């Protein structure tokens, strides 16, 4: 179920050694409102974190949205 998936991605994204794929997926779910309420501001923050950590999908999404990371 999608709310549970969000919870697990968020745990991975906020871990002491965060996983950049989890950070990216949190951004995707927040942008789309997939299992949770949409929040583009938070989505952009997670995209930036994932991009800074080297996630290429997040880097591409940041470029598409005009975000610097």
């Amino acid at each position: 179920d999608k709310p549970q998936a969000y919870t697990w991605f968020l745990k991975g994204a906020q871990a002491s050694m965060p996983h950049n794929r989890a950070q990216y997926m949190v951004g995707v779910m927040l942008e789309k409102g997939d299992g949770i309420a949409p929040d583009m501001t938070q989505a952009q923050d997670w995209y930036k974190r994932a991009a800074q950590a080297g996630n290429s999908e997040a880097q591409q999404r940041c470029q598409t949205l005009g975000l610097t990371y």
Side-chain angles (χ1 to χ4, degrees):
D1 89 27
K2 295 196 179 197
Q4 187 175 13
Y6 174 78
T7 298
W8 285 107
F9 281 131
L10 188 60
K11 285 183 186 216
Q14 293 176 328
S16 60
M17 299 275 301
H19 192 277
N20 68 32
R21 175 73 179 164
Q23 292 173 326
Y24 170 73
M25 290 306 300
V26 168
V28 169
M29 294 184 87
L30 283 165
E31 180 177 4
K32 294 181 177 182
D34 200 8
I36 53 165
D39 186 329
M40 192 58 181
T41 301
Q42 284 190 38
Q44 290 176 353
D45 181 55
W46 283 109
Y47 286 145
K48 288 180 193 178
R49 291 182 196 197
Q52 290 169 352
N55 184 281
S56 61
E57 292 171 295
Q59 292 168 349
Q60 291 173 355
R61 191 69 187 125
C62 284
Q63 289 174 351
T64 300
L65 295 171
L67 304 173
T68 56
Y69 56 92

